[in-house]
């Protein structure tokens, strides 16, 4: 497999052979000029980006990849996995947050129909305030999809 990088749009193109790539390039208005063969390291980074990520980048990616939970799934998970019902969570929020963060998180918990781990306030509540280990949180989050 031959990998090429388009220097204009940074898109990667893969071809079974250099001959196929050249035939394809000939049909393009910009020709082959915008493309270059990728190095082995670039190919590796493209195919296996997680190998090159820091721990914090991997954690952020995992948070983004986690699906949203419906309201009932999140509240059931909180109560079964962390012994916190909605009222207990709101109490924790009111004790540990103030100002805009308090209002935003309290309203999120009270009104939202879906919950995402990309919410910084929710992540902070669960991992820092409630001190839930991220691995346990991800496992509980996955289990909650079955509720």
């Amino acid at each position: 497999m031959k990998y090429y990088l388009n220097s204009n749009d940074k898109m990667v193109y893969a071809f079974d052979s250099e001959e196929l790539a050249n035939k394809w390039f000939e049909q393009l208005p910009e020709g082959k000029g915008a493309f270059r063969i990728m190095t082995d390291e670039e190919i590796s980074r493209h195919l296996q980006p997680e190998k090159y990520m820091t721990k914090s980048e991997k954690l952020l990616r995992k948070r983004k990849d986690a699906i949203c939970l419906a309201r009932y799934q999140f509240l059931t998970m909180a109560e079964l996995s962390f012994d916190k019902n909605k009222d207990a969570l709101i109490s924790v929020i009111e004790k540990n947050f103030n100002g805009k963060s308090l209002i935003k998180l309290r309203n999120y918990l009270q009104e939202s129909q879906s919950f995402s781990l990309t919410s910084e306030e929710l992540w902070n509540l669960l991992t820092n305030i409630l001190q839930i280990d991220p691995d346990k949180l991800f496992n509980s989050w996955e289990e909650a999809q079955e509720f």
Side-chain angles (χ1 to χ4, degrees):
M1 188 71 65
K2 297 286 184 180
Y3 293 87
Y4 294 83
L5 180 68
N6 183 325
S7 56
N8 295 332
D9 63 10
K10 304 300 182 208
M11 295 289 295
V12 174
Y13 297 82
F15 299 92
D16 287 330
S17 70
E18 195 169 338
E19 181 182 317
L20 286 173
N22 287 330
K23 284 182 183 179
W24 189 75
F25 294 143
E26 288 173 6
Q27 298 174 16
L28 298 176
E30 67 266 24
K32 190 176 179 176
F35 295 87
R36 67 170 178 78
I37 294 179
M38 294 171 65
T39 65
D40 289 341
E41 183 180 347
E42 288 173 326
I43 294 168
S44 179
R45 285 181 177 276
H46 175 71
L47 296 176
Q48 300 170 322
E50 63 282 346
K51 272 180 54 176
Y52 300 91
M53 292 179 175
T54 64
K55 284 184 181 182
S56 62
E57 290 171 329
K58 287 178 184 176
L59 182 61
L60 183 59
R61 183 178 192 175
K62 194 170 182 177
R63 286 174 58 192
K64 287 180 179 179
D65 289 346
I67 68 160
C68 291
L69 294 180
R71 178 176 189 73
Y72 76 92
Q73 291 172 317
F74 175 78
L75 293 175
T76 302
M77 175 200 69
E79 197 161 350
L80 292 176
S81 298
F82 312 128
D83 297 323
K84 301 285 184 199
N85 65 20
K86 183 176 79 169
D87 294 332
L89 286 172
I90 290 172
S91 178
V92 168
I93 290 167
E94 289 174 341
K95 287 178 187 169
N96 291 281
F97 292 87
N98 55 44
K100 186 178 180 180
S101 292
L102 166 66
I103 295 166
K104 191 174 176 182
L105 189 53
R106 185 178 55 208
N107 288 341
Y108 184 57
L109 187 64
Q110 290 176 329
E111 304 295 333
S112 183
Q113 295 305 308
S114 66
F115 293 84
S116 169
L117 289 176
T118 59
S119 165
E120 287 301 323
E121 286 86 2
L122 182 62
W123 182 259
N124 186 29
L125 170 68
L126 297 172
T127 60
N128 295 329
I129 306 301
L130 295 178
Q131 297 183 345
I132 299 166
D133 178 72
D135 289 333
K136 181 179 181 187
L137 177 57
F138 287 120
N139 288 336
S140 297
W141 202 269
E142 288 289 320
E143 290 172 8
Q145 296 174 42
E146 305 300 320
F147 297 152

